[in-house]
Amino acid sequence: MLAGAGAAILLQVADHRVGAGVAAHSRFTEDPIARLRHTLQYICVAVLPEAQFARRKVLGHVHRAHAPVRGLDAQGRAYSAFDPDAQLWVAATLYWAGEQVRHRVWGTLPADQAERMYREYASLATSLGVAEERWPADRTAFDAYWDLQMAGLEITPEVRAVAADLFSGQGLSPPLRAALPLARLLTAGLLPAPVRTGLGWGWTGRDSRREARIWAVAAPVYRRLPEALQASVARWILRTLRR
């Protein structure tokens, strides 16, 4: 989820409803680590049994944060953080980006496991209030939904501004700023080509080879890590929830 976060965010804001809300109401660059922590807290309470003690509190916080996010975009179109179509898209990008990274690390899953994992992602949408039946029934239905949504994305100046802010390093410590070029490369590699082009991000054969080498090293290293280390981010988030 961390490795795919940049791609998920940029895909989210390329939906005009989400993008308008972020442009008008979000200040994530002022404290990006806090924003990341809040997002991961939401994901944890949506999917982890051991985080259920904080579910009501976290979802209440999300609801309150979304309440003022409404208005009209630059074209006069209404947007609202409670729009179920926009909420479904946000959850869909988390699944898509997470699955892109999972596949690079672990490879192809047996079909039954892949479908089970896909169905478990539905909780990211239903926890926001999206009706369960709105989550595409299976991966084939999701692919059709995804293609339809991709055709309607808009890479506006606001989306480009979010991309610039995301990798500006503002609010980050020097070690984290030093990692941003790598994060940007991995994000660019995950993004669908039309979105990458719309952002004005070049992508060459050399970039593809660099990305492939990174995953060729990172994937086997990650697979060999002790389970305790693989789960370190989730444990950190659980500690923040307990506090």
Side-chain angles (χ1 to χ4, degrees):
M1 295 305 296
L2 280 173
I9 290 170
L10 294 177
L11 285 164
Q12 288 165 18
V13 298
D15 179 288
H16 72 87
R17 297 159 297 193
V18 181
V22 168
H25 300 273
S26 178
R27 300 292 181 269
F28 70 86
T29 55
E30 295 176 1
D31 193 347
I33 298 302
R35 179 60 183 265
L36 175 64
R37 184 174 67 249
H38 294 156
T39 299
L40 292 175
Q41 286 174 339
Y42 168 75
I43 292 173
C44 281
V45 301
V47 302
L48 294 182
E50 56 267 45
Q52 293 310 293
F53 68 91
R55 180 181 176 90
R56 180 176 295 180
K57 185 173 183 178
V58 170
L59 295 185
H61 172 78
V62 170
H63 184 90
R64 290 190 298 274
H66 283 175
V69 182
R70 60 180 67 245
L72 299 176
D73 68 10
Q75 285 73 46
R77 297 171 295 189
Y79 67 85
S80 167
F82 293 121
D83 182 330
D85 291 329
Q87 292 174 330
L88 177 59
W89 174 243
V90 167
T93 64
L94 293 174
Y95 165 71
W96 184 88
E99 176 60 14
Q100 296 300 307
V101 174
R102 188 214 59 75
H103 186 270
R104 283 163 169 78
V105 175
W106 296 102
T108 302
L109 284 174
D112 60 334
Q113 290 184 30
E115 285 292 343
R116 184 172 68 250
M117 181 178 290
Y118 167 72
R119 289 193 299 271
E120 289 173 352
Y121 266 90
S123 64
L124 295 180
T126 56
S127 294
L128 287 171
V130 177
E132 188 172 351
E133 61 270 16
R134 292 181 64 89
W135 186 251
D138 52 30
R139 288 184 300 152
T140 299
F142 180 88
D143 289 344
Y145 163 80
W146 184 262
D147 290 343
L148 182 63
Q149 293 300 118
M150 285 294 298
L153 296 185
E154 302 175 14
I155 310 300
T156 63
E158 290 77 15
V159 176
R160 297 187 190 96
V162 169
D165 286 345
L166 192 62
F167 295 100
S168 69
Q170 181 179 341
L172 294 178
S173 64
L176 291 176
R177 283 200 301 272
L180 283 177
L182 174 61
R184 188 184 183 281
L185 174 68
L186 293 179
T187 296
L190 290 171
L191 285 172
V195 176
R196 193 169 57 219
T197 300
L199 290 170
W201 289 6
W203 189 258
T204 65
R206 181 172 178 269
D207 293 321
S208 293
R209 291 190 293 274
R210 288 175 63 204
E211 184 205 17
R213 285 197 296 269
I214 290 168
W215 287 115
V217 172
V221 169
Y222 183 82
R223 290 196 298 266
R224 289 180 175 87
L225 289 177
E227 187 174 336
L229 282 178
Q230 290 183 359
S232 59
V233 173
R235 291 205 314 276
W236 166 57
I237 293 301
L238 286 170
R239 287 196 298 271
T240 69
L241 290 172
R242 293 188 183 102
R243 289 199 299 268

